[in-house]
Amino acid sequence: MTATASSGRPGPSAVDGRAELAPGTALTDPRFVNDDLLPVPVAGRRWTTYNFAALWVGMAHNIPSWMLASGLVALGMDWKQAVLTIALANVVVLVPMLLTGHAGPKYGIPFPVLARASFGLRGANLPALVRAGVACAWFGIQTWIGGQGVFVLLDKVFGGWAEASKAGGQPWTLWLCFVLFWALELAIIYRGMEALRRFENWAAPFVVVGALALLGWITMKAGGLGPLLDQPSKLGWGADFWPVFFPALMGMIAFWATLSLNIPDFTRFGAGQRAQVLGQTLGLPTTMTLFALLSVLVTSGSQAVYGAPVWDPVALAAKTDNVFGLLFALVTVLVATLSVNIAANVVSPAYDLAHLAPRLITFRRGALITGVVGVVIMPWKLTATPELYIFTWLGLVGGLLGTVAGILIADYWLVRRTVLDLEGLYRADGPYWYRGGWNPAAVLAFAVGGVLAVGGSHSAPGTGPFPEDGLIPFLKPLADYGWAVGLAAALLLYTAVMRRGTASRPFFRSS
């Protein structure tokens, strides 16, 4: 294929500091180029502050994020501690989100192409695969939860669905809901990013209205918000609290650490830095905090009405006998889960898989592969317990993703000062070829940071897959801080090696 390119420095091919491909230069290497990986022209970067805020509102309002606060309360926190933990985590994760997102509006490139600057043209497949694997697992989790929600509500409306004959241990009607939900997700994303933008624009306010309607309904039923807000923490604020708080904080950060890597997949369509910075700042920490608070208030009302807290919003909605209310809840569950799953868990692996084989895999084919892999690996089992969900799954994933984020931030901000050779990101004879397409500094930083972040992973007996003393026992004290350890270690090591390597170029470049 043929494309045009310029250097990443503002010049004749830049508009307001946003570089784009200039006429006259052909990019023909099919190993690194296809239409989905090329920079978005400046004229095509139209996402506004509202588009980015709506994207986050739509993604944050989903069943798993609703249940984050419930998971923390189940671990012994009271509602104030749970909401504080979630709020702090999302303020923290916003920082790498904005730092990596900067390259999107400036250069119009997706995450795997940005990773070429630090990992090399071939080495970028390493972080792309890590991100794609995590997204496929999340896609399966969200799709299963969405299918269950549809199943529960349709059973309440029509009756008899739960008593249907079983296949694979589940009613066949549940599998039908799962498959239909899965197909609907892929049908939307197959239409491309512009369709996603339009979907998120109306999905975000709809889901907010649905959540507030649920709060209003349960408040009327309860005659108030119930006794949950007065219940003391089982952990207090002393020695029992901090051993739960720090790994929980890392788990909450890990919930969106995936997007802190591939946010350029969205910001590449941004009208400018102001749009992505304001949109994300207004959309992410505020929405997640308010949604966590909303979930606690609704659950408080459920305790007053039913004598026990009902943390699952689908199960709570199913308790009403109002057909209109049930149908409204069904549509809200559909829109909420579609909104987050398509944006957070299909877009990224679609680009990442296209990056592996640009000649064979397009964005749409990558999305279809994601859908298939997300079903085959059956990751929904990870949500079986709060310990497994928060400490094992989110903790392990957060450590690895934090390591990649540290390398991306170090390379883009500390080593290159946000200046990239845009043409060089697509050429094997450019500055990002290093040694055979791999940057040894990035591989070293990823290996060291990853081991430090997750090497001490441990589980209490019967609650997870890791040894009680940790995979590498002397690293066990670091495991509760996996995301922060991985990010800091990789950032510092990569920066040090790259700056040292500037004076010793043969270490980085093949002959």
Side-chain angles (χ1 to χ4, degrees):
M1 67 183 300
T2 300
T4 56
S6 72
S7 75
R9 300 180 184 275
S13 59
V15 178
D16 298 329
R18 293 178 289 161
E20 64 179 352
L21 294 170
T25 303
L27 298 177
T28 58
D29 193 334
R31 297 174 298 170
F32 309 116
V33 179
N34 71 17
D35 290 338
D36 296 313
L37 297 177
L38 286 172
V40 175
V42 169
R45 303 176 202 173
R46 300 195 299 268
W47 285 34
T48 65
T49 297
Y50 176 79
N51 294 140
F52 287 111
L55 176 75
W56 275 115
V57 172
M59 289 197 297
H61 288 164
N62 62 86
I63 297 173
S65 65
W66 178 284
M67 297 172 70
L68 283 179
S70 68
L72 295 179
V73 172
L75 294 172
M77 293 187 183
D78 63 16
W79 74 270
K80 296 184 292 294
Q81 293 170 331
V83 172
L84 174 64
T85 302
I86 292 172
L88 180 58
N90 283 278
V91 170
V92 171
V93 82
L94 177 65
V95 176
M97 199 85 66
L98 298 178
L99 292 176
T100 54
H102 185 278
K106 184 170 183 178
Y107 296 102
I109 53 177
F111 155 65
V113 174
L114 173 62
R116 292 175 180 179
S118 51
F119 282 85
L121 269 73
R122 287 175 172 165
N125 286 324
L126 174 61
L129 279 174
V130 171
R131 176 64 184 94
V134 172
C136 287
W138 271 120
F139 177 82
I141 290 173
Q142 291 275 12
T143 303
W144 181 254
I145 289 174
Q148 284 182 313
V150 174
F151 170 77
V152 169
L153 294 175
L154 288 180
D155 177 62
K156 184 70 175 181
V157 173
F158 299 109
W161 284 55
E163 285 73 41
S165 58
K166 292 188 176 181
Q170 302 288 352
W172 70 265
T173 45
L174 174 56
W175 291 113
L176 176 63
C177 292
F178 172 65
V179 171
L180 291 176
F181 193 82
W182 173 85
L184 180 58
E185 290 174 316
L186 295 186
I188 294 175
I189 197 62
Y190 195 77
R191 297 180 64 86
M193 289 295 290
E194 186 62 20
L196 173 64
R197 182 181 71 87
R198 293 194 298 268
F199 177 77
E200 294 291 351
N201 281 349
W202 69 265
F206 184 89
V207 173
V208 173
V209 171
L212 291 175
L214 187 60
L215 175 62
W217 169 71
I218 196 65
T219 301
M220 291 179 60
K221 293 275 289 185
L225 292 175
L228 184 62
L229 299 182
D230 298 326
Q231 290 189 354
S233 168
K234 298 178 182 178
L235 304 173
W237 289 95
D240 293 335
F241 173 72
W242 302 110
V244 175
F245 169 76
F246 284 110
L249 180 68
M250 294 299 107
M252 297 304 102
I253 291 173
F255 191 79
W256 289 123
T258 50
L259 267 294
S260 70
L261 297 187
N262 75 286
I263 195 65
D265 293 343
F266 301 95
T267 61
R268 67 192 298 228
F269 299 96
Q273 297 299 340
R274 179 182 175 85
Q276 74 102 0
V277 171
L278 286 180
Q280 294 202 79
T281 302
L282 293 173
L284 172 58
T286 55
T287 301
M288 284 295 292
T289 301
L290 291 174
F291 204 55
L293 179 60
L294 186 61
S295 71
V296 170
L297 294 177
V298 171
T299 305
S300 170
S302 73
Q303 180 170 359
V305 173
Y306 302 108
V310 182
W311 291 106
D312 186 345
V314 173
L316 181 59
K319 289 182 176 295
T320 181
D321 294 324
N322 185 292
V323 175
F324 173 79
L326 284 168
L327 291 176
F328 182 77
L330 173 62
V331 174
T332 302
V333 168
L334 278 170
V335 173
T337 309
L338 283 170
S339 181
V340 65
N341 216 17
I342 293 171
N345 302 321
V346 179
V347 172
S348 174
Y351 281 124
D352 297 337
L353 293 169
H355 188 269
L356 291 176
R359 187 178 349 195
L360 302 174
I361 303 176
T362 63
F363 176 84
R364 288 180 171 85
R365 289 175 183 172
L368 294 177
I369 294 172
T370 300
V372 173
V373 174
V375 173
V376 170
I377 61 179
M378 297 184 294
W380 51 82
K381 295 181 180 179
L382 293 170
T383 60
T385 67
E387 293 84 4
L388 195 62
Y389 179 42
I390 294 175
F391 294 159
T392 301
W393 167 240
L394 291 179
L396 184 66
V397 164
L400 293 177
L401 297 179
T403 300
V404 176
I407 295 170
L408 294 182
I409 293 169
D411 182 79
Y412 184 70
W413 287 95
L414 302 180
V415 176
R416 308 192 189 281
R417 308 288 181 174
T418 76
V419 177
L420 299 177
D421 182 336
L422 192 54
E423 177 184 350
L425 291 169
Y426 299 89
R427 300 179 70 105
D429 58 354
Y432 310 118
W433 188 245
Y434 300 106
R435 297 182 65 86
W438 290 79
N439 183 359
V443 175
L444 175 64
F446 178 78
V448 173
V451 170
L452 292 176
V454 305
S457 298
H458 57 91
S459 303
T463 65
F466 302 120
E468 184 177 2
D469 294 330
L471 292 172
I472 304 176
F474 74 90
L475 293 179
K476 182 178 178 180
L478 300 180
D480 291 345
Y481 315 94
W483 180 83
V485 168
L487 187 146
L491 184 147
L492 294 174
L493 180 58
Y494 179 84
T495 302
V497 174
M498 285 297 289
R499 288 182 173 174
R500 179 184 179 89
T502 301
S504 179
R505 185 57 59 185
F507 175 75
F508 298 98
R509 299 293 298 274
S510 59
S511 56

